[in-house]
């Protein structure tokens, strides 16, 4: 199961804005990873964060994924697309400075990943 685990000190303007971010993140990941939407897990914690002696908006995201087959010979292209699209999405919803966004990518093996059964 692909997973996006994210943390930020950004305060969303409303529960609807928070949900809109999660919905859009799940949809983007579903498309990028070529997985059905019910197989995507997205988590977002709002918490105190401190970076470079500042409490300005900061964002951390960890993405665990299975590399889509069509990128088997060019993982760098896949990672660039994933990073660029998620960076754009995060900035769209939080206006965070891109130098205050940290993203981590972890590839899982098909054998070691959860299996979608729906």
């Amino acid at each position: 199961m692909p997973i996006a685990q994210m943390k930020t000190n950004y305060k969303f303007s409303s529960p609807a804005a928070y949900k809109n971010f999660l919905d859009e993140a799940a949809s983007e990941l579903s498309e990028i990873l070529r997985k059905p939407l019910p197989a995507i897990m997205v988590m977002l914690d709002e918490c105190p964060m401190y970076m470079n002696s500042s409490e300005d908006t900061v964002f951390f995201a960890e993405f665990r994924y299975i590399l889509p087959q069509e990128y088997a010979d060019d993982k760098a292209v896949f990672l660039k697309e994933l990073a660029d699209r998620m960076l754009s999405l995060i900035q769209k919803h939080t206006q965070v400075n891109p130098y205050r966004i940290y993203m981590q990518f972890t590839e899982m093996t098909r054998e070691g990943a959860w299996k979608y059964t729906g």
Side-chain angles (χ1 to χ4, degrees), residues 75-109:
K75 184 176 171 180
V77 169
F78 166 77
L79 287 174
K80 180 173 180 2
E81 178 184 355
L82 176 56
D84 288 350
R85 288 175 67 174
M86 295 314 295
L87 177 67
S88 177
L89 178 78
I90 291 165
Q91 287 186 283
K92 172 185 168 184
H93 287 270
T94 67
Q95 294 77 46
V96 62
N97 180 322
Y99 294 105
R100 295 181 63 81
I101 298 172
Y102 180 85
M103 291 189 281
Q104 179 179 359
F105 304 95
T106 304
E107 183 178 357
M108 300 182 301
T109 64

mmCIF file of all heavy atoms in Angstrom, residues 75-109:
data_model
loop_
_atom_site.group_PDB
_atom_site.id
_atom_site.type_symbol
_atom_site.label_atom_id
_atom_site.label_comp_id
_atom_site.label_asym_id
_atom_site.label_seq_id
_atom_site.Cartn_x
_atom_site.Cartn_y
_atom_site.Cartn_z
ATOM 1 N N LYS A 75 14.187 4.958 -12.910
ATOM 2 C CA LYS A 75 13.644 5.371 -11.618
ATOM 3 C C LYS A 75 13.805 6.878 -11.394
ATOM 4 O O LYS A 75 12.944 7.511 -10.769
ATOM 5 C CB LYS A 75 14.345 4.591 -10.509
ATOM 6 C CG LYS A 75 13.814 4.854 -9.131
ATOM 7 C CD LYS A 75 14.535 3.953 -8.139
ATOM 8 C CE LYS A 75 14.226 4.294 -6.723
ATOM 9 N NZ LYS A 75 14.937 3.418 -5.790
ATOM 10 N N ALA A 76 14.869 7.475 -11.910
ATOM 11 C CA ALA A 76 15.112 8.907 -11.716
ATOM 12 C C ALA A 76 13.978 9.746 -12.307
ATOM 13 O O ALA A 76 13.570 10.756 -11.722
ATOM 14 C CB ALA A 76 16.451 9.311 -12.319
ATOM 15 N N VAL A 77 13.456 9.349 -13.459
ATOM 16 C CA VAL A 77 12.344 10.075 -14.086
ATOM 17 C C VAL A 77 11.108 9.993 -13.186
ATOM 18 O O VAL A 77 10.406 10.991 -12.971
ATOM 19 C CB VAL A 77 12.053 9.530 -15.500
ATOM 20 C CG1 VAL A 77 10.754 10.087 -16.054
ATOM 21 C CG2 VAL A 77 13.200 9.840 -16.430
ATOM 22 N N PHE A 78 10.833 8.814 -12.659
ATOM 23 C CA PHE A 78 9.695 8.634 -11.759
ATOM 24 C C PHE A 78 9.842 9.505 -10.515
ATOM 25 O O PHE A 78 8.904 10.202 -10.117
ATOM 26 C CB PHE A 78 9.568 7.164 -11.351
ATOM 27 C CG PHE A 78 8.641 6.959 -10.191
ATOM 28 C CD1 PHE A 78 7.265 6.999 -10.374
ATOM 29 C CD2 PHE A 78 9.134 6.750 -8.909
ATOM 30 C CE1 PHE A 78 6.396 6.832 -9.298
ATOM 31 C CE2 PHE A 78 8.279 6.582 -7.836
ATOM 32 C CZ PHE A 78 6.915 6.621 -8.031
ATOM 33 N N LEU A 79 11.012 9.477 -9.875
ATOM 34 C CA LEU A 79 11.220 10.245 -8.649
ATOM 35 C C LEU A 79 11.103 11.747 -8.902
ATOM 36 O O LEU A 79 10.575 12.479 -8.066
ATOM 37 C CB LEU A 79 12.560 9.901 -8.017
ATOM 38 C CG LEU A 79 12.610 8.531 -7.344
ATOM 39 C CD1 LEU A 79 14.024 8.212 -6.883
ATOM 40 C CD2 LEU A 79 11.627 8.457 -6.184
ATOM 41 N N LYS A 80 11.565 12.211 -10.038
ATOM 42 C CA LYS A 80 11.436 13.632 -10.377
ATOM 43 C C LYS A 80 9.969 13.997 -10.529
ATOM 44 O O LYS A 80 9.529 15.032 -10.004
ATOM 45 C CB LYS A 80 12.208 13.971 -11.641
ATOM 46 C CG LYS A 80 12.090 15.447 -12.017
ATOM 47 C CD LYS A 80 12.977 15.840 -13.150
ATOM 48 C CE LYS A 80 12.888 17.297 -13.537
ATOM 49 N NZ LYS A 80 12.052 18.192 -12.838
ATOM 50 N N GLU A 81 9.209 13.176 -11.211
ATOM 51 C CA GLU A 81 7.775 13.458 -11.374
ATOM 52 C C GLU A 81 7.065 13.463 -10.020
ATOM 53 O O GLU A 81 6.291 14.374 -9.720
ATOM 54 C CB GLU A 81 7.112 12.433 -12.295
ATOM 55 C CG GLU A 81 5.617 12.675 -12.447
ATOM 56 C CD GLU A 81 4.894 11.629 -13.277
ATOM 57 O OE1 GLU A 81 5.530 10.733 -13.848
ATOM 58 O OE2 GLU A 81 3.648 11.722 -13.338
ATOM 59 N N LEU A 82 7.328 12.465 -9.199
ATOM 60 C CA LEU A 82 6.704 12.382 -7.881
ATOM 61 C C LEU A 82 7.076 13.603 -7.038
ATOM 62 O O LEU A 82 6.209 14.259 -6.456
ATOM 63 C CB LEU A 82 7.122 11.082 -7.181
ATOM 64 C CG LEU A 82 6.634 10.861 -5.754
ATOM 65 C CD1 LEU A 82 5.117 10.940 -5.649
ATOM 66 C CD2 LEU A 82 7.139 9.513 -5.232
ATOM 67 N N ALA A 83 8.353 13.932 -6.987
ATOM 68 C CA ALA A 83 8.808 15.063 -6.179
ATOM 69 C C ALA A 83 8.230 16.382 -6.690
ATOM 70 O O ALA A 83 7.731 17.196 -5.901
ATOM 71 C CB ALA A 83 10.336 15.122 -6.168
ATOM 72 N N ASP A 84 8.276 16.604 -7.995
ATOM 73 C CA ASP A 84 7.771 17.857 -8.559
ATOM 74 C C ASP A 84 6.274 18.032 -8.315
ATOM 75 O O ASP A 84 5.820 19.112 -7.936
ATOM 76 C CB ASP A 84 8.049 17.925 -10.067
ATOM 77 C CG ASP A 84 9.511 18.139 -10.411
ATOM 78 O OD1 ASP A 84 10.320 18.431 -9.498
ATOM 79 O OD2 ASP A 84 9.849 18.010 -11.609
ATOM 80 N N ARG A 85 5.515 16.968 -8.520
ATOM 81 C CA ARG A 85 4.063 17.074 -8.352
ATOM 82 C C ARG A 85 3.672 17.259 -6.892
ATOM 83 O O ARG A 85 2.767 18.032 -6.575
ATOM 84 C CB ARG A 85 3.374 15.871 -8.974
ATOM 85 C CG ARG A 85 3.424 15.953 -10.509
ATOM 86 C CD ARG A 85 2.870 14.763 -11.211
ATOM 87 N NE ARG A 85 1.428 14.624 -11.026
ATOM 88 C CZ ARG A 85 0.711 13.701 -11.653
ATOM 89 N NH1 ARG A 85 1.295 12.848 -12.488
ATOM 90 N NH2 ARG A 85 -0.587 13.613 -11.445
ATOM 91 N N MET A 86 4.349 16.569 -5.988
ATOM 92 C CA MET A 86 4.013 16.719 -4.578
ATOM 93 C C MET A 86 4.486 18.078 -4.047
ATOM 94 O O MET A 86 3.799 18.710 -3.249
ATOM 95 C CB MET A 86 4.584 15.563 -3.763
ATOM 96 C CG MET A 86 3.967 14.202 -4.130
ATOM 97 S SD MET A 86 2.148 14.174 -4.290
ATOM 98 C CE MET A 86 1.640 14.522 -2.629
ATOM 99 N N LEU A 87 5.641 18.552 -4.507
ATOM 100 C CA LEU A 87 6.106 19.886 -4.120
ATOM 101 C C LEU A 87 5.086 20.935 -4.548
ATOM 102 O O LEU A 87 4.702 21.820 -3.767
ATOM 103 C CB LEU A 87 7.469 20.169 -4.753
ATOM 104 C CG LEU A 87 8.044 21.561 -4.497
ATOM 105 C CD1 LEU A 87 8.393 21.741 -3.035
ATOM 106 C CD2 LEU A 87 9.256 21.789 -5.369
ATOM 107 N N SER A 88 4.614 20.836 -5.779
ATOM 108 C CA SER A 88 3.622 21.771 -6.298
ATOM 109 C C SER A 88 2.335 21.727 -5.480
ATOM 110 O O SER A 88 1.759 22.771 -5.137
ATOM 111 C CB SER A 88 3.344 21.451 -7.766
ATOM 112 O OG SER A 88 2.350 22.283 -8.280
ATOM 113 N N LEU A 89 1.876 20.539 -5.150
ATOM 114 C CA LEU A 89 0.654 20.372 -4.362
ATOM 115 C C LEU A 89 0.809 20.980 -2.969
ATOM 116 O O LEU A 89 -0.065 21.714 -2.493
ATOM 117 C CB LEU A 89 0.298 18.890 -4.249
ATOM 118 C CG LEU A 89 -0.923 18.586 -3.401
ATOM 119 C CD1 LEU A 89 -2.195 18.867 -4.184
ATOM 120 C CD2 LEU A 89 -0.900 17.152 -2.931
ATOM 121 N N ILE A 90 1.919 20.686 -2.311
ATOM 122 C CA ILE A 90 2.162 21.212 -0.962
ATOM 123 C C ILE A 90 2.195 22.736 -0.989
ATOM 124 O O ILE A 90 1.571 23.402 -0.158
ATOM 125 C CB ILE A 90 3.469 20.624 -0.378
ATOM 126 C CG1 ILE A 90 3.286 19.126 -0.096
ATOM 127 C CG2 ILE A 90 3.883 21.376 0.886
ATOM 128 C CD1 ILE A 90 4.590 18.374 0.137
ATOM 129 N N GLN A 91 2.904 23.311 -1.953
ATOM 130 C CA GLN A 91 2.984 24.769 -2.047
ATOM 131 C C GLN A 91 1.618 25.385 -2.367
ATOM 132 O O GLN A 91 1.276 26.443 -1.840
ATOM 133 C CB GLN A 91 4.004 25.182 -3.094
ATOM 134 C CG GLN A 91 5.431 24.954 -2.621
ATOM 135 C CD GLN A 91 6.421 25.506 -3.614
ATOM 136 O OE1 GLN A 91 6.672 24.893 -4.644
ATOM 137 N NE2 GLN A 91 6.954 26.662 -3.298
ATOM 138 N N LYS A 92 0.856 24.732 -3.225
ATOM 139 C CA LYS A 92 -0.471 25.235 -3.587
ATOM 140 C C LYS A 92 -1.353 25.397 -2.352
ATOM 141 O O LYS A 92 -2.065 26.387 -2.200
ATOM 142 C CB LYS A 92 -1.124 24.271 -4.578
ATOM 143 C CG LYS A 92 -2.570 24.581 -4.894
ATOM 144 C CD LYS A 92 -3.158 23.502 -5.794
ATOM 145 C CE LYS A 92 -4.668 23.618 -5.880
ATOM 146 N NZ LYS A 92 -5.250 22.527 -6.669
ATOM 147 N N HIS A 93 -1.297 24.432 -1.449
ATOM 148 C CA HIS A 93 -2.190 24.436 -0.286
ATOM 149 C C HIS A 93 -1.626 25.162 0.931
ATOM 150 O O HIS A 93 -2.403 25.561 1.803
ATOM 151 C CB HIS A 93 -2.554 22.997 0.094
ATOM 152 C CG HIS A 93 -3.511 22.374 -0.857
ATOM 153 N ND1 HIS A 93 -4.877 22.449 -0.701
ATOM 154 C CD2 HIS A 93 -3.312 21.678 -2.010
ATOM 155 C CE1 HIS A 93 -5.471 21.828 -1.706
ATOM 156 N NE2 HIS A 93 -4.544 21.338 -2.508
ATOM 157 N N THR A 94 -0.309 25.314 1.030
ATOM 158 C CA THR A 94 0.276 25.892 2.251
ATOM 159 C C THR A 94 1.110 27.143 2.008
ATOM 160 O O THR A 94 1.482 27.815 2.961
ATOM 161 C CB THR A 94 1.173 24.863 2.965
ATOM 162 O OG1 THR A 94 2.316 24.585 2.151
ATOM 163 C CG2 THR A 94 0.409 23.584 3.286
ATOM 164 N N GLN A 95 1.453 27.426 0.769
ATOM 165 C CA GLN A 95 2.310 28.558 0.410
ATOM 166 C C GLN A 95 3.673 28.506 1.117
ATOM 167 O O GLN A 95 4.344 29.522 1.276
ATOM 168 C CB GLN A 95 1.628 29.917 0.702
ATOM 169 C CG GLN A 95 0.414 30.204 -0.151
ATOM 170 C CD GLN A 95 -0.819 29.456 0.295
ATOM 171 O OE1 GLN A 95 -1.141 29.419 1.483
ATOM 172 N NE2 GLN A 95 -1.522 28.853 -0.641
ATOM 173 N N VAL A 96 4.101 27.333 1.537
ATOM 174 C CA VAL A 96 5.375 27.179 2.233
ATOM 175 C C VAL A 96 6.533 27.404 1.255
ATOM 176 O O VAL A 96 6.471 27.049 0.081
ATOM 177 C CB VAL A 96 5.485 25.792 2.909
ATOM 178 C CG1 VAL A 96 5.445 24.666 1.906
ATOM 179 C CG2 VAL A 96 6.726 25.684 3.779
ATOM 180 N N ASN A 97 7.568 28.028 1.760
ATOM 181 C CA ASN A 97 8.793 28.236 0.994
ATOM 182 C C ASN A 97 9.353 26.863 0.605
ATOM 183 O O ASN A 97 9.479 25.977 1.447
ATOM 184 C CB ASN A 97 9.800 28.993 1.879
ATOM 185 C CG ASN A 97 11.107 29.274 1.206
ATOM 186 O OD1 ASN A 97 11.639 28.474 0.447
ATOM 187 N ND2 ASN A 97 11.660 30.433 1.511
ATOM 188 N N PRO A 98 9.709 26.652 -0.669
ATOM 189 C CA PRO A 98 10.199 25.318 -1.073
ATOM 190 C C PRO A 98 11.468 24.894 -0.340
ATOM 191 O O PRO A 98 11.741 23.695 -0.240
ATOM 192 C CB PRO A 98 10.440 25.458 -2.576
ATOM 193 C CG PRO A 98 10.509 26.912 -2.833
ATOM 194 C CD PRO A 98 9.669 27.586 -1.784
ATOM 195 N N TYR A 99 12.218 25.847 0.201
ATOM 196 C CA TYR A 99 13.416 25.501 0.967
ATOM 197 C C TYR A 99 13.073 25.028 2.382
ATOM 198 O O TYR A 99 13.960 24.644 3.129
ATOM 199 C CB TYR A 99 14.387 26.686 1.021
ATOM 200 C CG TYR A 99 14.948 27.010 -0.341
ATOM 201 C CD1 TYR A 99 14.506 28.119 -1.047
ATOM 202 C CD2 TYR A 99 15.902 26.187 -0.931
ATOM 203 C CE1 TYR A 99 15.015 28.404 -2.309
ATOM 204 C CE2 TYR A 99 16.413 26.458 -2.189
ATOM 205 C CZ TYR A 99 15.961 27.573 -2.868
ATOM 206 O OH TYR A 99 16.455 27.842 -4.113
ATOM 207 N N ARG A 100 11.787 25.050 2.719
ATOM 208 C CA ARG A 100 11.342 24.582 4.023
ATOM 209 C C ARG A 100 10.463 23.344 3.884
ATOM 210 O O ARG A 100 9.653 23.033 4.750
ATOM 211 C CB ARG A 100 10.638 25.706 4.785
ATOM 212 C CG ARG A 100 11.608 26.869 5.114
ATOM 213 C CD ARG A 100 10.937 27.973 5.896
ATOM 214 N NE ARG A 100 10.458 27.534 7.197
ATOM 215 C CZ ARG A 100 11.208 27.413 8.300
ATOM 216 N NH1 ARG A 100 12.498 27.683 8.264
ATOM 217 N NH2 ARG A 100 10.656 27.036 9.438
ATOM 218 N N ILE A 101 10.632 22.647 2.774
ATOM 219 C CA ILE A 101 9.933 21.387 2.524
ATOM 220 C C ILE A 101 10.978 20.288 2.435
ATOM 221 O O ILE A 101 11.950 20.413 1.681
ATOM 222 C CB ILE A 101 9.121 21.439 1.213
ATOM 223 C CG1 ILE A 101 8.036 22.516 1.285
ATOM 224 C CG2 ILE A 101 8.488 20.064 0.927
ATOM 225 C CD1 ILE A 101 7.320 22.746 -0.028
ATOM 226 N N TYR A 102 10.793 19.236 3.207
ATOM 227 C CA TYR A 102 11.698 18.091 3.172
ATOM 228 C C TYR A 102 10.880 16.876 2.776
ATOM 229 O O TYR A 102 9.862 16.591 3.403
ATOM 230 C CB TYR A 102 12.347 17.874 4.545
ATOM 231 C CG TYR A 102 13.293 16.708 4.568
ATOM 232 C CD1 TYR A 102 14.616 16.851 4.180
ATOM 233 C CD2 TYR A 102 12.859 15.446 4.953
ATOM 234 C CE1 TYR A 102 15.489 15.765 4.191
ATOM 235 C CE2 TYR A 102 13.718 14.362 4.965
ATOM 236 C CZ TYR A 102 15.023 14.531 4.578
ATOM 237 O OH TYR A 102 15.873 13.465 4.581
ATOM 238 N N MET A 103 11.303 16.199 1.713
ATOM 239 C CA MET A 103 10.600 15.004 1.264
ATOM 240 C C MET A 103 11.564 13.817 1.265
ATOM 241 O O MET A 103 12.714 13.949 0.850
ATOM 242 C CB MET A 103 10.021 15.215 -0.141
ATOM 243 C CG MET A 103 8.896 16.211 -0.180
ATOM 244 S SD MET A 103 8.042 16.294 -1.775
ATOM 245 C CE MET A 103 9.201 17.286 -2.713
ATOM 246 N N GLN A 104 11.059 12.698 1.712
ATOM 247 C CA GLN A 104 11.829 11.453 1.761
ATOM 248 C C GLN A 104 11.061 10.403 0.969
ATOM 249 O O GLN A 104 9.838 10.300 1.087
ATOM 250 C CB GLN A 104 11.979 11.021 3.216
ATOM 251 C CG GLN A 104 12.732 9.747 3.414
ATOM 252 C CD GLN A 104 12.848 9.396 4.893
ATOM 253 O OE1 GLN A 104 12.374 10.110 5.768
ATOM 254 N NE2 GLN A 104 13.476 8.279 5.160
ATOM 255 N N PHE A 105 11.775 9.625 0.165
ATOM 256 C CA PHE A 105 11.149 8.617 -0.690
ATOM 257 C C PHE A 105 11.724 7.253 -0.354
ATOM 258 O O PHE A 105 12.939 7.079 -0.338
ATOM 259 C CB PHE A 105 11.394 8.945 -2.169
ATOM 260 C CG PHE A 105 10.926 10.324 -2.533
ATOM 261 C CD1 PHE A 105 11.799 11.405 -2.530
ATOM 262 C CD2 PHE A 105 9.600 10.550 -2.852
ATOM 263 C CE1 PHE A 105 11.369 12.680 -2.853
ATOM 264 C CE2 PHE A 105 9.145 11.824 -3.171
ATOM 265 C CZ PHE A 105 10.040 12.889 -3.173
ATOM 266 N N THR A 106 10.841 6.297 -0.112
ATOM 267 C CA THR A 106 11.253 4.942 0.225
ATOM 268 C C THR A 106 10.548 3.970 -0.700
ATOM 269 O O THR A 106 9.317 3.873 -0.693
ATOM 270 C CB THR A 106 10.903 4.610 1.697
ATOM 271 O OG1 THR A 106 11.506 5.583 2.553
ATOM 272 C CG2 THR A 106 11.380 3.214 2.060
ATOM 273 N N GLU A 107 11.342 3.259 -1.494
ATOM 274 C CA GLU A 107 10.766 2.254 -2.388
ATOM 275 C C GLU A 107 10.590 0.954 -1.620
ATOM 276 O O GLU A 107 11.495 0.500 -0.924
ATOM 277 C CB GLU A 107 11.679 2.020 -3.595
ATOM 278 C CG GLU A 107 11.109 1.046 -4.582
ATOM 279 C CD GLU A 107 11.979 0.841 -5.811
ATOM 280 O OE1 GLU A 107 13.029 1.501 -5.929
ATOM 281 O OE2 GLU A 107 11.607 -0.007 -6.643
ATOM 282 N N MET A 108 9.402 0.361 -1.754
ATOM 283 C CA MET A 108 9.110 -0.923 -1.128
ATOM 284 C C MET A 108 9.103 -1.999 -2.211
ATOM 285 O O MET A 108 8.775 -1.715 -3.365
ATOM 286 C CB MET A 108 7.740 -0.882 -0.434
ATOM 287 C CG MET A 108 7.633 0.167 0.644
ATOM 288 S SD MET A 108 6.023 0.179 1.490
ATOM 289 C CE MET A 108 4.895 0.477 0.165
ATOM 290 N N THR A 109 9.438 -3.202 -1.830
ATOM 291 C CA THR A 109 9.330 -4.309 -2.778
ATOM 292 C C THR A 109 7.882 -4.748 -2.854
ATOM 293 O O THR A 109 7.105 -4.565 -1.906
ATOM 294 C CB THR A 109 10.184 -5.514 -2.332
ATOM 295 O OG1 THR A 109 9.661 -6.004 -1.096
ATOM 296 C CG2 THR A 109 11.647 -5.120 -2.173
#
